[in-house]
Amino acid sequence: TGTFTATAGTQTYTITDANSCSTTTSITITEPTVLTASVTASSILCNGGVASLTVAASGGTGAYIGTGTFTATAGTQTYTVTDANGCLVTSTISITEPATIVGSQTITLCYGQSVLVGSNTYTSAGVYTDILTAANTCDSIVTTNLIVNPLPIISVNSGAICAGQSFTMVPSGASSYTFSSGNAIVTPTADVTYSVSGTDANGCVSAVDAVASITVNALPTVTIGADTEVSLGGTYQLNPTQVGSSTYAWSPSDYLSSVNIINPTTTPQNDITYILTVTSANGCIASDTINIKVLRDLIIANYMSPNGDGVNDTWQLNVPDLIKDYSVDIIDSYGQTVYSKSDHYNNDFDGKLGGKDLPDGVYYYFIKDGNTVKYKGSITLTK
């Protein structure tokens, strides 16, 4: 009898007493599986905190002592696991703390905008520090330099134009502009307002639009009349009609009694074209022209046919004004006066006497300056 050591397997022992009697006994020794242990990190060590570790075992016999969940700081950690048989095993893990991420950023906003950094929303300029949680659950420190640019303040010109003219809007205060009219140059037909917004070099858009007010003034009107003929030395009264004018300007000034009234007279010595330019109180302008032909020679018709067809129904002079101060007498072949006028003959002899048609035949005219005969000749009257 006694204490012995044995290895795995079947062991046989014989016991003998004092009488030399003996007996034999056997025992089978079975060795358990090898005890093993492992340690793993179930969470990461961040920012000077602790990591969570899990110690597990396998093999051996019975319940384990030393397994479970533990916390640990950075460094090498060793854990011992014992089974029911008192077998033990150790496992080691090295814990490394990730470096804290420290970053900076510059963000530029326009006034009225905001930015979200982590869980914080910022609208005002300044330097802000935020702790952000990354995907690995470790925090990062981020410094944000927030720049807030002001919004541009836009201005634009207003003004007045005359009908038919164009107006150019000239804004200021930004780098680029958007016009409600679609273009800076407009040709409105009535009073109107347009809005203008601007974007500056930072991309900021004006909060308040500028407004251009444009007044459209009506044009004056002027009509001189039809072209005319004037005898050399004769005076012609210009008598235009106009609406909305306040000043008048005739051009050229040759032969005119005045160049800045609406109805001057002219005594032209040569053919001439006059231009009348009128200006309204708002500075709007209109104009018209007239051509005046100066007649230098008197042409006297020697034939008339007063039959009512509108052709040669009266005795015609090309420019009656050339003899306006002369008398006109017409006689028949018997010397009887059939027409007489002391001055200002106006092509009005119509081949009648006392309202009755004169007979066809030859008649004679005498045009006198006082008692002096200036022109004489015959007129053949045929209906």
Side-chain angles (χ1 to χ4, degrees), residues 316-365:
Q316 298 285 315
L317 281 67
N318 65 332
V319 188
D321 199 43
L322 289 174
I323 62 165
K324 64 181 180 178
D325 296 324
Y326 296 172
S327 63
V328 175
D329 293 293
I330 301 174
I331 63 175
D332 61 15
S333 58
Y334 300 105
Q336 179 184 357
T337 299
V338 298
Y339 178 87
S340 180
K341 194 170 188 179
S342 61
D343 56 23
H344 288 89
Y345 176 74
N346 192 29
N347 293 339
D348 49 11
F349 175 54
D350 58 1
K352 299 180 187 304
L353 178 61
K356 296 181 179 181
D357 291 339
L358 292 170
D360 291 355
V362 177
Y363 296 83
Y364 302 92
Y365 65 84

Side-chain angles (χ1 to χ4, degrees), residues 27-108:
I27 186 172
T28 300
I29 301 173
T30 301
E31 183 177 6
T33 58
V34 177
L35 175 65
T36 62
S38 65
V39 57
T40 56
S42 56
S43 68
I44 296 175
L45 177 65
C46 295
N47 303 321
V50 294
S52 178
L53 305 179
T54 299
V55 178
S58 63
T61 300
Y64 303 115
I65 299 173
T67 59
T69 300
F70 306 90
T71 58
T73 58
T76 300
Q77 308 295 330
T78 301
Y79 295 89
T80 300
V81 176
T82 305
D83 66 3
N85 292 324
C87 296
L88 60 85
V89 66
T90 61
S91 182
T92 300
I93 188 172
S94 180
I95 300 174
T96 302
E97 180 177 7
T100 300
I101 300 174
V102 178
S104 63
Q105 60 181 346
T106 297
I107 297 176
T108 301

